[in-house]
């Protein structure tokens, strides 16, 4: 079993309560999906080795990454290069072409978890409370991904 703490769109307003810090430390993977990746410097040193990120449009980048977790492949993307603000079809087609099981994306600031054509799509929303304040906690167990959006307000 592997656990994921997934955030996106912190936009320079990143802070962790003691409760959230505990979740971060206990998670197997800490994922930042862009727009504020510089905020990761605020994470404790002991979680740096399990932290993965992609740059968002506000970070000046945008290359996707594929994370392989025991054969379960997860596409990490901010989403702006796949037009996620106008729908998920382009992203879904790219995910199918890439042969991944799941996609973690951001950019829209709207939290969402859904499975389409066997591919799980997860947007943790914006971690920044100005935009609602949310993250996603996910558990991968025997190639089944279960995800929960958590509001932090």
């Amino acid at each position: 079993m592997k656990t994921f703490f997934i955030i996106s769109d912190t936009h320079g307003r990143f802070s962790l309560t003691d409760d959230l810090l505990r979740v971060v430390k206990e998670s197997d993977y800490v994922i930042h999906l862009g727009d504020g990746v510089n905020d990761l410097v605020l994470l404790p040193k002991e979680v740096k080795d399990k932290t993965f990120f992609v740059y968002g449009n506000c970070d000046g980048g945008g290359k996707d990454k594929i994370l392989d977790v025991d054969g379960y492949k997860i596409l990490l993307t901010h989403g702006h290069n796949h037009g996620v603000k106008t729908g998920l079809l382009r992203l879904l087609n790219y995910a199918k072409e890439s042969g991944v099981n799941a996609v973690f994306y951001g950019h829209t600031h709207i939290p969402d978890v859904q499975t389409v054509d066997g591919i799980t799509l997860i947007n943790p929303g914006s971690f920044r409370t100005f935009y609602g304040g949310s993250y996603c906690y996910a558990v991968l167990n025997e190639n089944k991904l279960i995800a929960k959006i958590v509001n932090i307000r």
Side-chain angles (χ1 to χ4, degrees), residues 5 24 27-32 40 43 47 50-53:
F5 178 82
V24 167
S27 296
D28 295 307
Y29 294 86
V30 177
I31 310 289
H32 193 300
L40 293 174
L43 288 175
V47 302
K50 61 181 180 179
T51 300
F52 299 84
F53 65 89

Side-chain angles (χ1 to χ4, degrees), residues 15-59:
S15 64
L16 293 171
T17 63
D18 288 342
D19 288 340
L20 283 177
L21 185 57
R22 199 167 18 261
V23 173
V24 167
K25 288 180 177 179
E26 292 173 357
S27 296
D28 295 307
Y29 294 86
V30 177
I31 310 289
H32 193 300
L33 299 169
D35 282 1
V37 295
N38 288 337
D39 295 335
L40 293 174
V41 300
L42 300 173
L43 288 175
K45 289 180 181 165
E46 65 262 30
V47 302
K48 298 291 186 191
D49 289 343
K50 61 181 180 179
T51 300
F52 299 84
F53 65 89
V54 290
Y55 292 106
N57 56 299
C58 293
D59 299 315

